[in-house]
Amino acid sequence: MFGLRDLVALITSAFIILPVVIFLRESGYFIVSGIFGVKNPRLTIGSGPRIFKFGIFDVRKYYHVYSWFSYDSLKRKNNFAYICIYLGPILANLTFAVTINALLANGMLQDYKTFWERFIFYAFYYVLFDAVPMITINGKPNNGMIIYEMLRYGKRTDYNNDPFIPATSDVEEQYQEDMQLIKELDEVVEEKELKNREDIQNLKKELKKKGKDVDK
């Protein structure tokens, strides 16, 4: 039976554990890419309008389970570098999961054992779906598939031309375009609301002239 305790566990998983696990996953890209001289890296946390941008962190307004890493280029480009970068998120979550599991096995973190067990579960969940080679629903290969293709063929062989990791410059350009569009839509809505208020006031004046009572 699904009870209150399960509801609390679900909320904790959705709004605390999952965002943290995904952030750690994306951090794996950043840590490894730094070894190969990454240029203009960015960790975007959440979606929608920007709250603030500090260093590599771009924090957005809405649900922070949606996070991603972007960069413009690498100083040292080769197949080994790209394989390591795609291994980054797998190793990041695997390292945290194994470390926390070892601490629990040795009697530590017992006060919040259930919380950490769920953390380990979701960390291994992402490790599994990153590591096992597969094509995702949008036709893109996952990390495991790219690593497999790089090792076997020396390149990505799928037919999806979209970059697996977006360029930071493109992300910023798209963000500015989206914000401009939202601003224009807000202005249109505001103009319509203002016109509607003016129409209502004009209607009230007309009714008053005809000697009818009108609520203010």
Side-chain angles (χ1 to χ4, degrees), residues 190-202:
E190 187 176 347
E191 288 177 3
K192 287 184 177 180
E193 289 179 348
L194 181 60
K195 187 177 184 304
N196 288 338
R197 287 197 294 268
E198 290 176 350
D199 290 342
I200 291 172
Q201 291 300 323
N202 290 334

Side-chain angles (χ1 to χ4, degrees), residues 42 48-50 53 58 60 168-184:
R42 180 178 297 178
R50 179 175 290 147
K53 186 159 71 75
D58 182 6
R60 306 290 182 86
T168 301
S169 299
D170 293 341
V171 171
E172 182 63 25
E173 182 179 350
Q174 184 63 51
Y175 171 78
Q176 295 299 336
E177 290 177 0
D178 291 343
M179 292 302 102
Q180 181 61 34
L181 179 60
I182 291 173
K183 182 180 178 181
E184 292 173 358

Side-chain angles (χ1 to χ4, degrees), residues 133-189:
M134 66 179 74
I135 299 296
T136 61
I137 193 170
N138 59 0
K140 287 184 180 180
N142 70 340
N143 293 52
M145 180 61 78
I146 292 181
I147 293 169
Y148 168 76
E149 291 175 342
M150 295 291 286
L151 289 172
R152 183 171 181 179
Y153 306 110
K155 62 180 181 179
R156 180 176 160 182
T157 61
D158 63 282
Y159 297 101
N160 191 317
N161 294 322
D162 294 334
F164 188 77
I165 301 177
T168 301
S169 299
D170 293 341
V171 171
E172 182 63 25
E173 182 179 350
Q174 184 63 51
Y175 171 78
Q176 295 299 336
E177 290 177 0
D178 291 343
M179 292 302 102
Q180 181 61 34
L181 179 60
I182 291 173
K183 182 180 178 181
E184 292 173 358
L185 290 173
D186 287 342
E187 290 175 352
V188 170
V189 171

